Amino acid sequence: MKNKKALCYVALLALMVWCIKGFWSNNTVKVKPLELDQSQQEFQQQVNRDDLLRKEHEISTLKVEMARLKMESSKCGLESKFSPEIPKIYAITPTHYRAVQKAELTRLSHTLMLVPNLHWVVVEDAESKTDLVTKLLAKTGMSYSHLNAATPKSWKPKAKEPRWVKPRGVLQRNTALQWLRDNVSPNEDGVIYFVDDDNSYSLEVFEEMRYLKGVGVWPVGLVGGLMVERPKINAEGKVTGWLTVWSPNRPFAIDMAGFAINLKLFHSKPNGKFSFESEKGYQESELLKHFVGSLNELEVKADNCTKVFVWHTRTEQANLAQEIKLRKENKPRSDIGIEV
Amino acid sequence: MKNKKALCYVALLALMVWCIKGFWSNNTVKVKPLELDQSQQEFQQQVNRDDLLRKEHEISTLKVEMARLKMESSKCGLESKFSPEIPKIYAITPTHYRAVQKAELTRLSHTLMLVPNLHWVVVEDAESKTDLVTKLLAKTGMSYSHLNAATPKSWKPKAKEPRWVKPRGVLQRNTALQWLRDNVSPNEDGVIYFVDDDNSYSLEVFEEMRYLKGVGVWPVGLVGGLMVERPKINAEGKVTGWLTVWSPNRPFAIDMAGFAINLKLFHSKPNGKFSFESEKGYQESELLKHFVGSLNELEVKADNCTKVFVWHTRTEQANLAQEIKLRKENKPRSDIGIEV
């Protein structure tokens, strides 16, 4: 028995070595035509060809590694973890143009790429979908929907008005919610979560919410002027209030990143959405009142709300002092023909 | 036991099928450029571009699946030797405690988890390794080294002193470099890259640097008061200077995120390191002077330095106004017993 197993592994190893060798010889064969080209083609073409070659090699090595990892995982019976039967997470992200937008969406996409069975609904605050976001989403290889909805001027903060005066992302989040009502079956297992493009998310938070039956809640770090804002939990493990300093008497004194909603529950309440009319800090309450009758219906997650799995980080506006100076002096901008 | 054997054979079969498929697709991919060599250059360029996009998409998908498998494998203690056949990237990250540290390291780790064959060298500015960073690193399932080196008081910015007055991360980066000299073989294929815990990195930037023979350079977004700072490239595709506004006459007017160094070259220059003595903005020049004789030795990456694959983002300090108030009023802090 043992011998057979040993033999089997040896055979595997041999097979893999043979594969890798195979790819090497493939690549060397491929190099020849490229070298010939380099004498005739323009610089741009050479760049593309070399790039193509590098990417082909990368794909080969990735596939080799994948095969190895898949075997390892199968030994711990992990296949199920990746089965499409697990409830899907619909992550809703409103986004608007600013200098750091591409950087923010890029690093956020890396987090979401690591979450199994997640569908990313990205809604641009723009008259039409931008090339920047379109290309960025295509590159992720994720399952996603790309929408846009421009906030009316009357609801945009005026110059010098602090950014909290006007509610932000209302129209974009509602657009995403309407898209879910129109495009996702009421019978599908899943949850809805609002993912802002400047917050930081652990991978744990997504697994906390995946199997919610109703509305689940958990702490949020670095928000409301505190290290952490969180629900107040009693001995029975039920929510009795909110451990916040600012306006703890709101019906749901919780940040957008601190809750998720079961998809079937969402479908069962067709009026559940955000409103431009609700006062500052009441967007979450405005939405959740449709889905939650009383606090003790809330599902307490993150180890009885003692763990922080999401942080309300904020990215500084890019310092573009020199760029502005260039424009004043009618000098060319630094990013001509370059998407930043 | 029987199951294991069965799984083993299934894996074998799967691997064989994949091999055959792998070679098949490789062959078709390989033929394309040969056929198209006859046709016109413009058409050819378009085909190459489409091909590149298709491959980028395939790579993203593979990386996502792999990162998940890798995480899962590590959870059940299966150490996977990651893609030993491609050069390894040694990513050096100095980090210090502040309220947003865990959030920053968490989202950065997600980016690095998606990079094949990367070893993360994390150096804490602390007297000893913290639980926070220790646990965070262990959870990633990545290949990493955890070091610490406390910056002497004399080199820490004084209260109210702007953070650029004193050079930051010098001791931590040098500690990582010394670790590489002591622990990594001079014969190993690899590159060294400095990854700050508040910047934003695309996955592309790591593939740009992977096969460097010397020192490679590329643009950095949102730095020096500009949308992008980048090397000045001549018709021969060589670096002739620096497109920056602030101090463009520095020997290497480039941000820490804008270059990487081949590992063998690094080993060949035992004195290459940073210095507390170098004046503001000269850290990069201080290091690179050891490895680069003249600008035209630099390897120009990122499509002739016309693409931005890394951004010098900055995260706002957490607003803890309410937390401070609680302490003044001798009320319990919000994060008692909770790691944020």
Side-chain angles (χ1 to χ4, degrees):
Chain A
M1 181 63 109
K2 264 203 154 47
N3 288 347
K4 273 197 174 179
K5 241 185 80 194
L7 237 153
C8 185
Y9 282 121
V10 171
L12 255 176
L13 198 71
L15 193 58
M16 252 145 41
V17 170
W18 167 70
C19 296
I20 293 155
K21 273 181 65 186
F23 284 118
W24 276 117
S25 56
N26 262 0
N27 287 325
T28 51
V29 168
K30 256 177 298 174
V31 166
K32 285 198 186 97
L34 292 178
E35 281 169 357
L36 288 174
D37 291 349
Q38 278 163 7
S39 59
Q40 310 149 357
Q41 312 286 342
E42 285 174 5
F43 185 78
Q44 182 55 50
Q45 276 191 42
Q46 294 169 23
V47 171
N48 287 350
R49 287 299 181 78
D50 297 346
D51 229 69
L52 200 61
L53 186 61
R54 266 208 315 282
K55 294 204 186 306
E56 281 167 12
H57 183 236
E58 200 187 343
I59 288 172
S60 309
T61 38
L62 282 167
K63 281 178 175 171
V64 171
E65 179 61 18
M66 269 265 284
R68 184 189 294 128
L69 282 165
K70 275 196 169 131
M71 283 188 308
E72 285 181 345
S73 325
S74 69
K75 286 182 209 152
C76 343
L78 290 163
E79 254 53 21
S80 59
K81 189 85 163 68
F82 312 110
S83 79
E85 284 85 54
I86 63 175
K88 184 176 281 178
I89 293 166
Y90 288 92
I92 296 175
T93 301
T95 185
H96 66 282
Y97 179 75
R98 71 272 190 201
V100 299
Q101 183 185 30
K102 190 178 181 184
E104 301 258 59
L105 287 173
T106 297
R107 61 181 167 186
L108 175 60
S109 74
H110 296 159
T111 297
L112 301 182
M113 284 157 79
L114 289 166
V115 181
N117 219 24
L118 180 141
H119 184 83
W120 197 12
V121 183
V122 177
V123 191
E124 290 192 73
D125 186 347
E127 293 296 343
S128 62
K129 301 180 180 69
T130 63
D131 279 2
L132 188 152
V133 175
T134 305
K135 283 186 288 175
L136 187 144
L137 288 171
K139 268 192 182 177
T140 62
M142 290 173 66
S143 158
Y144 66 88
S145 300
H146 183 191
L147 313 171
N148 67 290
T151 303
K153 266 213 164 46
S154 55
W155 283 107
K156 285 193 176 146
K158 299 184 182 55
K160 298 214 174 75
E161 201 172 44
R163 63 196 226 174
W164 48 262
V165 168
K166 293 274 199 318
R168 302 167 70 234
V170 173
L171 187 61
Q172 292 71 37
R173 290 191 183 94
N174 281 344
T175 300
L177 293 176
Q178 191 53 53
W179 179 89
L180 288 170
R181 295 194 189 280
D182 299 342
N183 296 276
V184 178
S185 157
N187 308 319
E188 186 178 317
D189 284 330
V191 292
I192 301 171
Y193 184 46
F194 298 100
V195 173
D196 288 356
D197 64 2
D198 55 353
N199 286 347
S200 303
Y201 301 84
S202 72
L203 299 179
E204 286 99 329
V205 75
F206 297 96
E207 300 317 316
E208 289 291 326
M209 73 182 67
R210 193 181 292 278
Y211 293 95
L212 290 172
K213 287 169 192 62
V215 172
V217 292
W218 48 82
V220 177
L222 312 177
V223 68
L226 296 172
M227 283 299 284
V228 54
E229 272 188 0
R230 58 199 177 103
K232 195 183 291 172
I233 311 298
N234 67 14
E236 288 68 46
K238 294 293 185 184
V239 176
T240 61
W242 310 96
L243 294 168
T244 74
V245 172
W246 184 75
S247 189
N249 298 325
R250 287 171 286 166
F252 300 91
I254 189 168
D255 183 80
M256 203 68 76
F259 67 89
I261 303 168
N262 173 279
L263 192 59
K264 284 174 177 142
L265 175 63
F266 169 73
H267 276 297
S268 73
K269 310 287 183 186
N271 300 325
K273 61 177 187 202
F274 297 98
S275 161
F276 276 116
E277 309 304 334
S278 44
E279 46 175 307
K280 174 179 182 280
Y282 280 70
Q283 285 295 339
E284 295 83 357
S285 300
E286 171 65 32
L287 179 75
L288 288 175
K289 74 182 184 197
H290 294 278
F291 304 108
V292 185
S294 79
L295 290 190
N296 64 9
E297 289 171 33
L298 291 168
E299 294 167 46
V300 175
K301 308 304 288 183
D303 212 345
N304 220 23
C305 285
T306 62
K307 296 265 189 303
V308 174
F309 290 140
V310 55
W311 302 264
H312 186 262
T313 43
R314 301 250 312 248
T315 303
E316 286 182 9
Q317 284 190 16
N319 160 14
L320 297 175
Q322 301 294 351
E323 199 69 53
I324 292 157
K325 235 176 98 198
L326 289 179
R327 288 175 208 181
K328 280 187 184 150
E329 296 162 1
N330 295 319
K331 290 181 182 160
R333 37 189 297 159
S334 69
D335 60 341
I336 290 170
I338 300 179
E339 182 185 87
V340 178
Chain B
M1 197 48 144
K2 261 198 151 48
N3 285 349
K4 275 198 177 177
K5 229 183 85 189
L7 264 165
C8 199
Y9 284 126
V10 172
L12 238 175
L13 194 70
L15 193 62
M16 274 166 158
V17 170
W18 156 76
C19 287
I20 292 148
K21 272 182 65 189
F23 282 114
W24 182 261
S25 61
N26 258 0
N27 289 332
T28 53
V29 166
K30 201 174 57 200
V31 170
K32 259 189 193 154
L34 292 174
E35 291 167 348
L36 292 167
D37 285 348
Q38 279 83 30
S39 62
Q40 293 184 338
Q41 289 196 357
E42 275 185 22
F43 176 63
Q44 200 163 23
Q45 279 195 15
Q46 189 51 49
V47 171
N48 288 345
R49 274 193 293 269
D50 297 345
D51 233 286
L52 274 176
L53 280 175
R54 270 199 301 280
K55 300 232 169 300
E56 277 171 4
H57 189 275
E58 194 183 349
I59 288 171
S60 305
T61 318
L62 282 167
K63 281 178 179 170
V64 173
E65 182 61 12
M66 231 171 59
R68 280 185 209 154
L69 285 164
K70 188 155 167 284
M71 256 192 315
E72 291 310 311
S73 315
S74 72
K75 277 184 197 156
C76 44
L78 289 166
E79 252 296 309
S80 65
K81 291 151 212 71
F82 210 27
S83 313
E85 50 283 321
I86 60 173
K88 184 176 281 177
I89 293 166
Y90 288 91
I92 295 175
T93 301
T95 186
H96 65 283
Y97 179 76
R98 71 271 190 200
V100 299
Q101 183 186 29
K102 189 178 181 183
E104 301 258 59
L105 287 173
T106 297
R107 61 181 167 186
L108 176 61
S109 74
H110 297 159
T111 298
L112 301 182
M113 283 159 78
L114 289 165
V115 181
N117 214 25
L118 180 141
H119 184 83
W120 197 11
V121 183
V122 178
V123 192
E124 291 192 72
D125 186 348
E127 292 296 344
S128 62
K129 298 179 182 68
T130 63
D131 279 3
L132 188 152
V133 175
T134 304
K135 284 186 288 175
L136 186 144
L137 287 172
K139 264 193 190 170
T140 62
M142 290 173 65
S143 160
Y144 66 88
S145 300
H146 183 189
L147 313 172
N148 67 290
T151 303
K153 266 213 164 47
S154 55
W155 283 107
K156 283 194 177 142
K158 298 183 181 56
K160 298 211 176 73
E161 202 173 44
R163 63 196 223 174
W164 48 261
V165 168
K166 293 274 200 314
R168 302 167 69 233
V170 173
L171 187 61
Q172 292 70 37
R173 291 192 183 94
N174 280 344
T175 301
L177 293 177
Q178 191 54 52
W179 180 89
L180 287 170
R181 296 194 188 281
D182 299 341
N183 295 276
V184 177
S185 156
N187 307 318
E188 187 179 314
D189 283 332
V191 293
I192 301 171
Y193 185 46
F194 298 100
V195 172
D196 287 356
D197 64 1
D198 56 352
N199 287 347
S200 303
Y201 301 84
S202 72
L203 299 179
E204 286 97 329
V205 74
F206 298 95
E207 299 318 318
E208 289 291 326
M209 73 184 65
R210 195 180 292 277
Y211 294 92
L212 289 172
K213 288 171 191 61
V215 172
V217 292
W218 47 83
V220 177
L222 313 177
V223 67
L226 295 171
M227 283 298 286
V228 54
E229 273 188 358
R230 57 198 179 101
K232 196 181 291 171
I233 311 298
N234 67 13
E236 289 70 45
K238 295 293 185 184
V239 176
T240 61
W242 310 96
L243 295 168
T244 75
V245 172
W246 184 74
S247 191
N249 296 327
R250 287 170 287 166
F252 299 91
I254 189 169
D255 183 81
M256 203 68 75
F259 67 88
I261 303 169
N262 173 279
L263 191 59
K264 286 178 176 135
L265 175 62
F266 169 73
H267 276 296
S268 73
K269 310 288 182 185
N271 299 325
K273 62 179 185 193
F274 296 99
S275 160
F276 276 117
E277 309 305 332
S278 45
E279 50 178 302
K280 176 179 180 283
Y282 279 71
Q283 285 294 339
E284 295 83 358
S285 299
E286 172 65 32
L287 179 73
L288 288 175
K289 75 181 183 196
H290 295 277
F291 303 109
V292 184
S294 81
L295 290 190
N296 62 9
E297 288 171 33
L298 292 168
E299 295 168 44
V300 175
K301 308 303 289 182
D303 211 347
N304 217 23
C305 284
T306 61
K307 296 267 193 305
V308 174
F309 289 140
V310 55
W311 302 265
H312 186 261
T313 42
R314 301 251 310 247
T315 303
E316 288 182 9
Q317 284 191 16
N319 161 13
L320 296 175
Q322 301 294 351
E323 199 69 53
I324 291 157
K325 235 175 100 199
L326 289 179
R327 288 175 207 181
K328 279 184 185 153
E329 297 162 359
N330 294 317
K331 290 182 182 158
R333 38 190 296 161
S334 70
D335 60 340
I336 291 171
I338 300 178
E339 182 184 88
V340 178

